[in-house]
Amino acid sequence: MDAKQLLDLVQRYHENREFIGNEETAKVALVIPFIKLLGYDPSMPREVRLEYSADFTVGDGKRLPDRMDFAIFDRTGAKPLMVIETKPLGTDLLSKSQQLARYLAQMKDLHFGIITDGCHYYFFGDLESPNQMDGEPFFTFSLDDTKTDWTKVANFLGKFSRESFNAETLITDAENSRYRQGMIDRLVKALRAPADDEAFLRWLTEDVYKGKRTAAVMTRLGDVAREAVEPALLRVMGDDFVEKLKQRIQKLNESGSPDGKETNTVRDVPTNLQPVTKPQPTDEAQKPPASGVETTAEELEFFETVSGICVKAGYERAEILHRDTVNYFNVSYRRPTKWFIRYFSGGRRRNIVTLVPVEEAKQLCPGFEVEESPATFGISRVNIDSVAQLWALSALVTRSLQLLQASKDEGDATTVASTPTV
């Protein structure tokens, strides 16, 4: 499994979620493709059994049949590896997770269960006590989370694949994942508000302040601790850290590995789109960039992704144009002056600017940071982490193009937002 395959599943979810009205549709549209990504064949009952029945013992000793949506077995077909319970899209999964607990309690060789609505996936185990499910999942991910690092998710899910599944190492990995997440949560909470965590504040100031710790002193120390957090983090993020961060960003921005094989990163876009053919210049189209402007591979990927979104919305690929400038990368419609989306990749954070009003943009971009754009560049600005996230912003992209078309004279962008082209 790799990040690209997961992004294909993300795209499938976004394209079909409005039509997924019940549990069975969620199974067919999303859960079965997910099982296939793990390397298991749902059509082979030796390894995947639908509606698998196991007896459940109730309080008075009676044994009642209990059915699992999917039970996945090892290659012999004798030992259960995990079970998957599916609920309708939008279900409160945590409130329904006790169904998994029954399965783990009744099958001694079973240690892992997944409950999902097709979008959200919660992984449970019996890490604390055999055959007694833990109260909290040790791993979760969501196809609707725009900030997900899909490479990390793919690496973790690979351990549950048909080729790699090993219960013993998985239990250790799951425990480490839970401990690590607990540490992260505690550190984040303490660093955001050190004064609110008395134990942390006492540890932090143990060798710094030797006097009596009155309420007033603790309040003062809490304020000082808050001021100390940022300088401390900057010191931790020294030259070595920055260099490693640069190397990671460079790897994310590479389209291929040294041996010519394609690398799988969170930047990868779905593979079921037709390759983009750059439109041939006609009239004013595709003027060469101004002197000193270098179009990057990332900007071309941005253009290809926007083009793919527009084509899926019914527009002609040849009508979607691009032009680079010193400050931003323009994507336009039919003529270079008729821009509808701009890409800014040179600052501290990547962002796109559109012609969509801010409040409408917020409705179209749940989970993203949306703000008013500087008037010289456009109307609304959306911060993104990678070009791949554009697929989650398809509605915003097409809406901006629609507003361009609706403006005067088929929407010269200057009638919507008066902006210079540099």
Side-chain angles (χ1 to χ4, degrees), residues 31-32 35-36 38-52 68-75 77 81-82 84 162:
V31 181
I32 289 179
I35 293 173
K36 290 180 178 178
L38 294 176
Y40 304 100
D41 187 349
S43 67
M44 296 290 290
R46 174 187 289 269
E47 58 187 40
V48 180
R49 298 174 200 173
L50 283 67
E51 297 297 322
Y52 181 73
M68 312 168 199
D69 289 331
F70 300 94
I72 298 178
F73 287 76
D74 65 2
R75 295 173 186 268
L81 303 180
M82 57 183 149
I84 301 177
R162 186 174 186 270

Side-chain angles (χ1 to χ4, degrees), residues 276-384:
V276 173
T277 302
K278 294 176 70 174
Q280 297 298 317
T282 57
D283 299 327
E284 302 178 60
Q286 308 299 82
K287 292 182 180 179
S291 176
V293 176
E294 181 180 354
T295 302
T296 66
E298 181 179 333
E299 289 171 330
L300 290 177
E301 182 189 7
F302 177 84
F303 170 67
E304 293 176 359
T305 305
V306 172
S307 297
I309 292 171
C310 293
V311 168
K312 290 180 71 64
Y315 293 92
E316 294 292 331
R317 188 180 298 277
E319 294 180 328
I320 309 301
L321 313 175
H322 71 79
R323 185 181 181 186
D324 206 353
T325 74
V326 174
N327 295 318
Y328 47 76
F329 182 82
N330 260 340
V331 179
S332 54
Y333 181 64
R334 292 186 177 176
R335 296 175 60 185
T337 56
K338 297 181 179 180
W339 73 271
F340 62 94
I341 188 167
R342 285 172 167 166
Y343 183 44
F344 294 76
S345 59
R348 289 184 299 173
R349 292 193 65 181
R350 294 175 176 84
N351 64 79
I352 62 174
V353 169
T354 74
L355 304 173
V356 182
V358 174
E359 291 306 315
E360 184 178 358
K362 288 180 179 179
Q363 295 178 3
L364 296 173
C365 308
F368 285 86
E369 184 181 342
V370 182
E371 58 191 358
E372 185 177 356
S373 167
T376 54
F377 294 125
I379 295 178
S380 59
R381 178 167 63 188
V382 182
N383 292 312
I384 61 175

Side-chain angles (χ1 to χ4, degrees), residues 395-414:
L396 178 72
V397 174
T398 53
R399 179 56 179 157
S400 188
L401 180 47
Q402 290 168 357
L403 289 172
L404 172 70
Q405 290 180 288
S407 62
K408 187 178 179 181
D409 295 327
E410 262 196 348
D412 190 319
T414 55

Side-chain angles (χ1 to χ4, degrees), residues 109-217:
D109 292 327
L110 181 64
H111 301 288
F112 298 100
I114 304 171
I115 187 167
T116 178
D117 62 356
C119 173
H120 305 87
Y121 293 77
Y122 288 21
F123 288 65
F124 286 87
D126 57 351
L127 309 180
E128 296 181 358
S129 180
N131 295 115
Q132 183 175 339
M133 192 182 81
D134 303 326
E136 297 291 332
F138 62 83
F139 181 72
T140 67
F141 73 93
S142 170
L143 302 181
D144 212 17
D145 187 349
T146 58
K147 297 181 180 180
T148 297
D149 185 335
W150 292 110
T151 299
K152 289 184 178 179
V153 174
N155 290 339
F156 187 86
L157 292 179
K159 300 172 184 178
F160 285 84
S161 68
R162 186 174 186 270
E163 299 300 323
S164 304
F165 193 100
N166 182 306
E168 291 183 3
T169 58
L170 267 175
I171 290 173
T172 300
D173 289 341
E175 288 175 338
N176 290 344
S177 175
R178 187 176 63 172
Y179 300 153
R180 181 169 52 251
Q181 188 58 51
M183 294 176 187
I184 291 172
D185 292 343
R186 185 169 183 182
L187 278 171
V188 169
K189 182 179 179 181
L191 292 175
R192 282 179 175 171
D196 295 342
D197 190 330
E198 185 176 349
F200 175 78
L201 185 59
R202 286 186 177 276
W203 167 82
L204 184 64
T205 60
E206 183 178 2
D207 296 325
V208 176
Y209 180 79
K210 300 296 185 179
K212 186 176 181 180
R213 294 173 180 265
T214 63
V217 168

